Amino acid sequence: MDDKEHFDTVILGGGFSGLYLALLLSRAGQRVAVIEKASVAGGLLRTFSCHGARFDLGGHRLVFHKNAELFSFLKEIGFQGRLLKHRRKARIYVDGCFMHYPPILWDAFKLKAELKIAILKDFLLGRFDRKKPANFEEWLCAQYGKTLYKLIFKDYTKKVWGVECSSLPPEFLKKRVGKFHFLHFMLGLQGVRSKDSCATFFYPEAGIGAVIDAIQGQLQQNVTLLVSSEAIKVEAGSVVIRALTGERTVRAKNIVSTIPVQRLIPLLGDAGLDGCREGFKTRGVIFVNLLLKKELPGIPPVHWVYLPSGDLIFSRWYMYKSWSGAMTPEGKHSLSLEIIGGEELLALSESVIMEKCFKGLRLMGVTLNAADIEESMVIKQADAYPVITNMDDVQKYKEMIMQRHPSLRLTGRMGGHAYLDVEGCVDDVRSMAQAILKHA
């Protein structure tokens, strides 16, 4: 075996977590190989160019608990681009209206009187309900009341995650949804925005892919990045890879997986783990990116729009001009529709996807003709979101995998099957790097 095929650590998956881990380990002197199935690395943190416009794969914001920690991370990876600071602007499309999220005074006029009364009643009665929530539905109802739950969260959660809220654990999405503060809600109805209810975030001027570009620019010569390469077998101390040039085997003391766990298990050839795969379900995503010749009337220029209705194929959309002026050419406009679903959705042809998107826009009163579109780009990404219906099972199965395969470690959003944001991935990867180097 050629010495070049021997590494200290082999990392499966060249997304954000895989590349960041490679950076940390290589700086400590390790020889690292990163195996990425796609033709380019970066995973979901990529930015694509299309006729002068730039599109991310979804709305990625940089939010850390402390800004100093974010700036320290960006310095660590060598990020030198311009960083924009935004106050988050989001809407949710309910009953034919774009409502602020959280709501403000003008949205109160859009709600029927009985809904406003019901929301207040939910809050007052909810103060006396101290029952520990058994699932995500009960947690949402306890925080927001049944009226807001049904109005905002119920259909949206089922549409995005493919399961009812009652099937999800109470901890699910707590960090992203946040607790409901009635004072903030009432201030919002008067047009007063609190720091908590309208958080700020940072965003690279050139798109979220600038984070990946920075990491790749810092990778040292002791990192071998193998793109268009797929792991087909994982054994103790070795990984068999299928690449364009044929099969090859790489060996290492440590093997770290950041790929979806349900994709990893078959590579292990361990029949004793077959029953674990059901615990690691995922959702795929389709991005329909449109470069438009004109501005669409009636659409608010915000960062996020959430779309709970089952009549619409897309679950949310983004207008990247609101994120950064550098994302869209002068005089043009863009719209990115995000569709989340299972394998049957990913199997749809681009023409069918576009047809369903146009139908959804028409249902919202948005008329978009082929002549209005300068260019379109449809991007499909399988296994984009981990679905967690039982956190205890997920942890138990992960421990079982690593016990049966001691040289294997799991980390990152998909590798650890945890719905982590960028900060969560940073913390997870740093802990993994420390553990590997401790036993080096």
Side-chain angles (χ1 to χ4, degrees):
M1 177 64 65
D2 191 329
D3 184 60
K4 293 182 179 180
E5 300 296 296
H6 286 263
F7 300 89
D8 296 300
T9 301
V10 171
I11 301 171
L12 308 182
F16 170 73
S17 294
L19 292 176
Y20 182 47
L21 179 60
L23 176 64
L24 298 181
L25 294 178
S26 66
R27 283 179 172 172
Q30 286 213 346
R31 295 189 65 236
V32 183
V34 181
I35 302 167
E36 171 55 45
K37 182 178 178 180
S39 58
V40 293
L44 283 178
L45 259 64
R46 288 177 288 167
T47 300
F48 290 83
S49 296
C50 178
H51 285 238
R54 299 173 69 82
F55 296 93
D56 292 342
L57 294 182
H60 298 282
R61 53 179 177 159
L62 296 176
V63 179
F64 282 43
H65 282 94
K66 296 180 180 179
N67 288 342
E69 294 175 358
L70 169 61
F71 301 148
S72 176
F73 161 70
L74 293 175
K75 182 179 179 180
E76 178 188 37
I77 65 172
F79 176 83
Q80 296 181 345
R82 186 183 176 199
L83 199 63
L84 307 178
K85 184 177 182 179
H86 289 290
R87 185 169 290 277
R88 184 187 181 194
K89 295 182 292 184
R91 301 290 187 273
I92 185 165
Y93 187 74
V94 178
D95 290 336
C97 302
F98 289 100
M99 297 177 59
H100 287 74
Y101 185 77
I104 63 170
L105 173 63
W106 309 117
D107 290 329
F109 293 113
K110 300 174 185 177
L111 295 175
K112 299 175 184 177
E114 57 267 27
L115 284 177
K116 287 181 283 189
I117 294 172
I119 290 171
L120 179 58
K121 183 179 178 182
D122 285 345
F123 171 76
L124 294 175
L125 293 178
R127 297 309 91 193
F128 303 100
D129 185 4
R130 301 299 181 186
K131 183 180 68 173
K132 184 178 180 180
N135 53 55
F136 192 47
E137 177 181 330
E138 291 185 4
W139 185 85
L140 286 169
C141 287
Q143 294 297 323
Y144 291 84
K146 292 184 179 179
T147 305
L148 281 177
Y149 162 71
K150 292 179 180 178
L151 190 67
I152 296 176
F153 297 106
K154 186 176 187 293
D155 292 339
Y156 184 75
T157 303
K158 174 66 181 295
K159 184 177 180 181
V160 170
W161 299 103
V163 295
E164 301 288 350
C165 287
S166 58
S167 299
L168 297 169
E171 301 85 359
F172 191 73
L173 290 181
K174 267 188 181 181
K175 181 178 178 181
R176 293 174 184 251
V177 174
K179 291 186 176 181
F180 177 65
H181 299 281
F182 190 70
L183 175 60
H184 296 164
F185 174 72
M186 294 304 294
L187 289 172
L189 292 179
Q190 302 304 316
V192 179
R193 313 301 286 163
S194 75
K195 291 183 180 179
D196 289 336
S197 65
C198 194
T200 58
F201 68 93
F202 291 90
Y203 180 76
E205 182 181 38
I208 198 64
V211 172
I212 294 296
D213 293 341
I215 294 175
Q216 288 192 267
Q218 293 290 309
L219 292 180
Q220 301 178 28
Q221 291 183 350
N222 52 343
V223 176
T224 300
L225 176 58
L226 303 172
V227 296
S228 300
S229 301
E230 181 180 6
I232 58 175
K233 187 176 182 180
V234 177
E235 297 179 319
S238 69
V239 179
V240 180
I241 304 169
R242 180 186 294 126
L244 297 176
T245 55
E247 293 187 6
R248 59 193 288 193
T249 300
V250 293
R251 303 186 186 281
K253 176 182 177 181
N254 306 294
I255 299 173
V256 182
S257 176
T258 70
I259 67 175
V261 183
Q262 66 169 351
R263 307 295 181 190
L264 169 68
I265 290 175
L267 307 183
L268 300 174
D270 186 345
L273 296 175
D274 290 346
C276 299
R277 293 185 67 184
E278 281 299 304
F280 298 102
K281 294 181 179 179
T282 64
R283 299 283 276 176
V285 63
I286 301 171
F287 298 100
V288 178
N289 301 311
L290 305 174
L291 178 59
L292 308 175
K293 299 176 182 178
K294 67 173 187 177
E295 185 174 4
L296 295 177
I299 292 184
V302 297
H303 302 118
W304 287 269
V305 173
Y306 301 99
L307 303 133
S309 172
D311 295 330
L312 309 174
I313 189 174
F314 36 84
S315 301
R316 49 188 173 230
W317 75 42
Y318 316 94
M319 303 185 73
Y320 288 115
K321 203 167 196 175
S322 300
W323 296 67
S324 168
M327 297 292 283
T328 309
E330 188 69 28
K332 301 293 175 64
H333 301 270
S334 65
L335 181 66
S336 182
L337 307 173
E338 182 175 349
I339 305 167
I340 302 174
E343 293 181 357
E344 71 287 346
L345 195 64
L346 292 172
L348 295 177
S349 66
E350 289 192 13
S351 60
V352 171
I353 292 169
M354 293 293 291
E355 181 182 339
K356 289 181 178 291
C357 286
F358 288 147
K359 178 182 177 182
L361 291 170
R362 287 195 298 269
L363 288 174
M364 297 176 64
V366 178
T367 302
L368 188 63
N369 300 312
D372 301 324
I373 301 175
E374 181 167 318
E375 190 61 53
S376 64
M377 179 171 56
V378 177
I379 300 174
K380 298 180 180 181
Q381 179 77 39
D383 305 313
Y385 298 102
V387 179
I388 306 168
T389 55
N390 190 311
M391 289 186 172
D392 290 337
D393 281 351
V394 168
Q395 186 59 34
K396 179 180 68 176
Y397 293 150
K398 288 197 297 183
E399 291 175 357
M400 184 187 305
I401 292 170
M402 289 184 287
Q403 286 172 0
R404 295 172 71 95
H405 300 270
S407 65
L408 177 65
R409 301 169 185 261
L410 309 176
T411 194
R413 178 153 133 165
M414 300 310 300
H417 203 77
Y419 193 40
L420 303 175
D421 57 10
V422 173
E423 183 184 26
C425 288
V426 167
D427 291 341
D428 197 46
V429 169
R430 283 175 176 170
S431 296
M432 178 59 64
Q434 290 172 3
I436 291 173
L437 295 174
K438 182 179 179 180
H439 296 93

